[in-house]
Amino acid sequence: MNATDILPAAWTENMILVDAEYVDRVAFDLIVNFGRMIGRRIPAADLARWIDCVALDGGMKPAAEGEASTTATTVVMVHDVKSPWLENFRPSAFEGEISGKAFSDNLGEFSFIAVSHEGLSTKAEMIADIAEMASMQKEVRRLMIVADADDPSAIDLLRNRLRNADDEKRITLFAMQPVAGGNFRQEILGYSLMNALGIRADEIK
């Protein structure tokens, strides 16, 4: 399967592109480490709440009070074929609970596509392919990417594929630590995950 097989029929104004295993691994590390630090059990992350936080960090704005947002966002979650669900998020199953589902709030409608990576290309290559194609679409104004920042080759691929992206597009890479270079903004992934995990700022002071 290649990137063109799973892309939406119509491009949306916003796109969130996620390496599912990477974000699941980071969520697990936060659950374990902060659970020990603050001395309580931390539940699985609320997937919709996390997506909302990523959207806000990526530059999306909520509708004014009393108004409904008409903004559309496509969330593409790329996962390994042997990983049918997220271990540390709810909902968790890609088929039946995530892919093909949607939710709406004051940031607009978020529609999910989950695709298992398999074939000749690597998952990092598939994510880079999708990111490059999205960056070329006139309809897409904001692109938010959660790639495997622990894999330097994955970040190198994104740097190369996005180097000619239109400067008017807002492209944001989410990682736990800043990465060098790249034609994109950067945000710390941990902040949005901590919010989705229900970890309060006053608990970690």
Side-chain angles (χ1 to χ4, degrees):
M1 180 179 293
N2 57 48
T4 56
D5 294 328
I6 58 93
L7 292 176
W11 293 92
T12 54
E13 180 179 353
N14 309 290
M15 188 167 185
I16 299 174
L17 177 58
V18 181
D19 181 322
E21 280 72 34
Y22 172 70
V23 75
D24 205 28
R25 187 168 73 245
V26 174
F28 173 77
D29 289 343
L30 292 177
I31 288 170
V32 172
N33 293 330
F34 280 102
R36 291 171 180 164
M37 182 186 303
I38 63 182
R40 69 170 175 85
R41 178 184 175 276
I42 297 176
D46 182 323
L47 181 59
R49 187 173 178 180
W50 176 63
I51 290 296
D52 267 352
C53 292
V54 168
L56 289 168
D57 286 346
M60 292 176 59
K61 304 294 184 184
E65 186 175 353
E67 297 183 4
S69 174
T70 58
T71 302
T73 303
T74 302
V75 182
V76 179
M77 305 194 75
V78 183
H79 64 95
D80 292 335
V81 69
K82 294 181 180 179
S83 300
W85 57 74
L86 295 162
E87 298 283 353
N88 302 287
F89 284 83
R90 296 293 180 272
S92 59
F94 294 116
E95 295 300 322
E97 292 184 348
I98 297 176
S99 192
K101 305 297 184 180
F103 73 90
S104 297
D105 57 21
N106 65 347
L107 288 168
E109 182 178 72
F110 295 84
S111 302
F112 288 81
I113 300 172
V115 57
S116 59
H117 164 262
E118 54 186 329
L120 297 178
S121 65
T122 66
K123 183 168 58 171
E125 288 170 335
M126 175 176 278
I127 289 172
D129 286 345
I130 298 171
E132 182 179 21
M133 282 186 280
S135 73
M136 296 169 61
Q137 307 303 315
K138 62 179 175 30
E139 298 88 348
V140 178
R141 294 180 56 198
R142 299 178 192 86
L143 173 60
M144 292 145 271
I145 308 168
V146 183
D148 187 349
D150 294 335
D151 178 4
S153 64
I155 303 304
D156 285 343
L157 279 168
L158 284 172
R159 285 195 196 96
N160 290 332
R161 301 295 180 85
L162 297 173
R163 66 184 182 277
N164 296 319
D166 188 340
D167 290 338
E168 293 186 0
K169 295 187 185 297
R170 179 166 178 151
I171 302 174
T172 308
L173 176 70
F174 291 77
M176 291 301 287
Q177 300 290 337
V179 301
N183 187 20
F184 41 70
R185 301 165 183 253
Q186 296 185 43
E187 291 288 343
I188 299 299
L189 175 61
Y191 297 150
S192 57
L193 282 172
M194 287 170 63
N195 189 305
L197 290 165
I199 301 170
R200 303 187 311 273
D202 63 279
E203 292 183 290
I204 57 177
K205 288 182 178 178

